C-alpha cells in the first residue's frame, strides 16, 4: 500500500468543502439572479455607497493596525528585556486575552460604553459636577468601534513582535554600543531593522481580522454603522442578494491576499537582508 | 557609574509603568465585567451588594445550557474528526511527489488564509445549494473544515523529523503496513497530533463567524452571546463571561505548568 493514498479523505474533504465553495462563490459573483454571466455585481460595488464603506473599512483597519503598532512595539520591546520579566509571567498575561472569546471582549466594552455603563455614567456625573449641560454618548460611534478593534487585536501585534525581539542576539546590540552607537542609534539601526519580520506578521495578524470584522461594528457601532463585513453579512442574511454578496466576498479575498503577499514579500526581503 | 545606574532604574520604572498601563487597558474591561457579575442590582454603574443570582439564573437558562452542550459537542467531534483526517492527510502529503504535494499544501493554505467571513458564506452557499438544513450537522462540517489545515500543519514537521527507515525496518521485520503505521509512525509523530488536536479543539470553542453563517436555529455559546448582546446588556452574560474567563485562565495555567515541568525534566 502506498502511504500517499492515506491523504484521500483529506483531499476529498478539502475539494468538497474548500475548493467547491470558493468556486461556488466565484460563480455567483459573475452571474445574475437568472444565472447568466455578468460583471454587474462588481460594478455595483463601485457604487459610491458601497465603495465608501469599503474605503472606510480599509481606513479603519489601517488606523487600528497603526495604533496597535505604536502601542504594541514598546510593550513588546520592554517585555523582551529579561530583567523586566525574568520568568515570562507578564508575557502570559499578554497572551491570556487572546484566548478569550472575542465576542466577550467586545461585549465587555459594550458594557462599559453604553449609556448606563461605568465609563459613560462616570463621565456624565463628572460633567454635571462641573456644571456642563447635556450628556455625552460614547457608544455607537466611530471612536467606539476603533477602540473595540484596538482592544481586540492589540495582543496579536504584541506577540509576534515579542517573539522576534526576544530572539535578537544581545551581543549584536552590545557590538553596536561598543562601536559607539547611542541608544537611539541602536534602536533605529539595529533593533528596528532586525524586528521587521515581526512587524510584518503583527501587521498582517491585526489588519486581516480588522478589515473583515462585522461583529465589532455591529455591537459597538450600532445598526447604522457599516463596515464591509457588515455589507457581506447583509447581502447573505437579509437582502438575499447572494450574487452581490459573492462579488463582495471575492473582492475582500483579493484585497487580503494582495496585502498578505505584500507583507510576506516585505518580511522575506528583510530576512534575506539579515543573511547577507 | 552611580548616576548611570540610577538612570537605568528610572528607565526600568518607566518601562514597568508602561507595561502596567497596557495591561490595565487589556484587563480593566474584563475585570469590570467580572465584578458586575456579582452585583445585586441590574445597574451597570452602581454597586448594590453581592449576589450569586445571575449565576443561578445562568444554570437554569435552558438556552444557555443547550448552547454549552452544542459548543462542547461540536468542539469534541470536530477536533476528533479533523485530527484523524488531518493526520492521515499529512502522512499522505508527506509521501506525495513534489507537484501534488505543492498543490495540496496550497489548498491547505488557501483554506487557512481565507477570511472567516468568506469561509462562512461560501459554506453556507454550499449547504443551501445541496439543500442541507442549517443546524448542528452543518456547523460540525464547517468546524471540521477550518480545523483540518491546522492539524496538517502541526503534524507535517514531525513527519519531516522522522527517520524514514524506521517504517521500512518495521515492514522488513514482518509488520503489515497498518501495524507499521500504528506502532512506528504514529508514536513518533504523536506530539504533533496532540498539539493539532488541542489547537483544533480551542479554535472550535472560540469560533463565532463561521458558526454564525452555517447554523440557524441551533446555537453555540458564541452565536448565543451575539444575539443576546445585540438585544442589550444582560447580567447573565456577565456571569457567563466570568466563568469562561476562569476556564481559560485555568487551562492556560495548567498548560504553562506542564511546560515548566517538561523544561525541568
Amino acid at each position: 500500500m502506498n502511504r500517499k493514498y492515506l491523504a484521500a479523505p483529506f483531499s476529498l474533504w478539502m475539494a468538497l468543502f474548500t475548493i467547491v465553495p470558493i468556486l461556488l462563490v466565484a460563480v455567483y459573483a459573475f452571474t445574475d439572479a437568472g444565472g447568466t454571466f455578468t460583471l454587474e455585481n462588481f460594478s455595483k460595488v463601485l457604487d459610491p455607497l458601497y465603495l465608501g464603506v469599503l474605503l472606510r473599512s480599509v481606513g479603519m483597519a489601517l488606523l487600528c493596525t497603526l495604533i496597535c503598532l505604536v502601542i504594541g512595539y514598546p510593550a513588546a520591546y520592554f517585555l523582551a528585556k529579561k530583567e523586566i520579566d525574568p520568568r515570562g509571567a507578564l508575557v502570559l498575561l499578554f497572551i491570556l486575552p487572546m484566548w478569550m472569546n472575542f465576542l466577550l471582549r467586545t461585549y465587555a466594552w459594550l458594557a462599559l460604553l453604553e449609556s448606563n455603563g461605568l465609563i459613560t455614567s462616570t463621565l456624565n456625573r463628572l460633567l454635571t459636577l462641573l456644571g456642563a449641560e447635556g450628556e455625552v454618548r460614547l457608544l455607537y460611534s466611530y471612536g467606539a468601534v476603533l477602540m473595540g478593534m484596538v482592544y481586540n487585536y492589540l495582543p496579536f501585534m504584541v506577540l509576534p513582535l515579542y517573539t522576534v525581539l526576544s530572539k535578537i542576539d544581545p551581543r549584536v546590540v552590545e557590538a553596536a554600543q561598543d562601536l559607539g552607537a547611542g541608544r537611539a542609534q541602536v534602536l533605529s539601526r539595529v533593533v528596528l531593522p532586525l524586528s521587521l519580520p515581526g512587524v510584518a506578521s503583527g501587521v498582517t495578524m491585526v489588519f486581516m481580522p480588522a478589515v473583515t470584522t462585522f461583529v465589532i461594528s455591529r455591537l459597538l457601532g450600532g445598526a447604522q454603522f457599516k463596515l464591509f463585513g457588515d455589507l457581506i453579512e447583509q447581502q447573505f442574511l437579509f437582502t438575499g442578494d447572494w450574487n452581490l454578496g459573492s462579488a463582495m466576498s471575492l473582492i475582500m479575498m483579493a484585497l487580503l491576499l494582495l496585502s498578505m503577499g505584500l507583507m510576506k514579500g516585505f518580511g522575506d526581503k528583510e530576512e534575506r537582508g539579515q543573511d547577507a | 557609574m552611580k548616576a548611570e545606574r540610577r538612570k537605568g532604574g528610572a528607565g526600568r520604572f518607566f518601562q514597568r509603568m508602561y507595561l502596567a498601563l497596557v495591561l490595565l487597558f487589556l484587563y480593566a474591561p474584563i475585570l469590570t465585567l467580572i465584578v458586575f457579575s456579582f452585583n445585586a442590582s441590574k445597574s451597570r454603574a452602581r454597586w448594590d451588594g453581592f449576589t450569586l443570582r445571575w449565576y443561578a439564573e445562568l444554570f437554569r437558562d435552558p438556552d444557555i445550557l443547550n448552547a454549552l452542550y452544542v459548543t462542547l459537542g461540536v468542539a469534541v467531534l470536530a477536533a476528533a474528526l479533523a485530527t484523524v483526517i488531518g493526520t492521515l492527510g499529512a502522512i499522505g502529503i508527506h509521501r506525495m511527489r513534489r507537484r501534488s504535494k505543492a498543490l495540496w499544501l496550497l489548498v491547505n493554505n488557501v483554506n487557512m488564509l481565507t477570511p472567516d467571513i468568506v469561509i462562512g458564506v461560501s459554506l453556507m452557499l454550499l449547504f443551501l445549494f445541496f439543500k442541507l438544513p442549517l443546524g448542528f450537522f452543518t456547523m460540525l462540517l464547517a468546524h471540521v473544515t477550518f480545523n483540518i489545515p491546522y492539524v496538517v500543519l502541526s503534524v507535517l514537521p514531525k513527519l519531516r523529523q522522522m527517520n524514514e527507515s524506521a517504517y521500512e525496518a518495521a515492514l522488513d521485520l514482518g509488520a503489515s503496513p497498518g501495524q507499521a503505521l500504528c506502532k512506528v509512525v504514529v508514536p513518533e509523530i504523536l506530539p504533533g497530533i496532540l498539539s493539532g488536536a488541542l489547537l483544533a479543539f480551542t479554535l472550535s470553542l472560540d469560533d463565532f463567524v463561521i458558526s454564525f453563517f452555517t447554523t440557524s436555529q441551533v446555537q453555540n455559546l458564541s452565536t448565543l452571546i451575539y444575539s443576546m448582546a445585540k438585544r442589550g446588556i444582560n447580567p447573565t452574560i456577565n456571569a457567563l463571561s466570568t466563568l469562561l474567563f476562569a476556564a481559560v485562565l485555568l487551562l492556560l495555567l495548567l498548560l504553562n505548568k506542564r511546560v515548566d515541568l517538561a523544561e525541568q525534566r
Side-chain angles (χ1 to χ4, degrees), chain A residues 71-72 75 94 154 158, chain B residues 17-27:
Chain A
I71 300 176
F94 273 88
L154 181 61
V158 174
Chain B
M17 278 303 290
Y18 185 85
L19 288 177
L21 275 178
V22 177
L23 281 177
L24 184 72
F25 171 65
L26 285 178
Y27 282 92

Side-chain angles (χ1 to χ4, degrees), chain A residues 43-204:
Chain A
S43 61
K44 263 193 219 159
V45 182
L46 292 179
D47 180 285
L49 190 70
Y50 294 142
L51 197 64
V53 177
L54 178 61
L55 290 179
R56 178 203 274 173
S57 289
V58 174
M60 268 193 113
L62 283 175
L63 189 58
C64 163
T65 311
L66 185 70
I67 296 174
C68 284
L69 186 62
V70 169
I71 300 176
Y73 198 98
Y77 180 68
F78 298 151
L79 272 179
K81 291 190 162 182
K82 289 283 178 291
E83 72 261 38
I84 291 274
D85 184 20
R87 300 211 42 220
L90 278 175
V91 182
L92 206 65
L93 274 179
F94 273 88
I95 299 175
L96 182 60
M98 285 169 75
W99 282 48
M100 224 182 127
N101 194 305
F102 88 106
L103 268 171
L104 291 182
R105 286 182 268 152
T106 311
Y107 172 80
W109 274 105
L110 178 67
L112 284 175
L113 294 180
E114 53 125 29
S115 55
N116 289 323
L118 199 60
I119 292 184
T120 313
S121 59
T122 314
L123 215 66
N124 277 326
R125 230 173 287 156
L126 261 174
L127 283 176
T128 324
L129 273 179
L130 294 171
E133 294 277 321
E135 276 190 14
V136 282
R137 278 192 45 192
L138 299 175
L139 197 60
Y140 303 139
S141 64
Y142 184 92
V145 177
L146 188 64
M147 176 73 126
M149 283 185 177
V150 171
Y151 180 71
N152 265 297
Y153 304 131
L154 181 61
F156 293 91
M157 179 65 85
V158 174
L159 196 65
L161 282 173
Y162 165 78
T163 313
V164 169
L165 284 169
S166 62
K167 276 191 193 136
I168 291 179
D169 191 338
R171 284 174 300 183
V172 178
V173 175
E174 279 158 26
Q177 283 165 344
D178 288 347
L179 291 171
R183 266 183 130 154
Q185 267 181 315
V186 169
L187 258 180
S188 66
R189 306 202 38 190
V190 179
V191 176
L192 198 63
L194 284 178
S195 68
L196 282 181
V199 174
S201 61
V203 165
T204 315

Side-chain angles (χ1 to χ4, degrees), chain A residues 3 13 17-18 25 71 78 81 84 93 96-97 99-101 103-104 107 114 121 151 215 218 242 256, chain B residues 15 18 25-27 30 44-45 111 115 125 144-145 164 167 206 208 222 226 234 238 241 245 248-249:
Chain A
R3 269 172 292 160
W13 194 285
F17 293 109
T18 299
V25 169
I71 300 176
F78 298 151
K81 291 190 162 182
I84 291 274
L93 274 179
L96 182 60
W99 282 48
M100 224 182 127
N101 194 305
L103 268 171
L104 291 182
Y107 172 80
E114 53 125 29
S121 59
Y151 180 71
V215 178
R218 175 59 53 80
W242 292 358
L256 281 180
Chain B
Q15 292 173 9
Y18 185 85
F25 171 65
L26 285 178
Y27 282 92
I30 302 173
R44 274 83 69 183
N111 177 310
L125 280 183
V144 174
T145 305
E164 204 36 55
Y167 177 78
D206 206 43
F208 165 73
S222 298
Y226 180 65
N234 177 337
N238 295 0
S241 312
F245 182 71
V248 167
L249 184 65

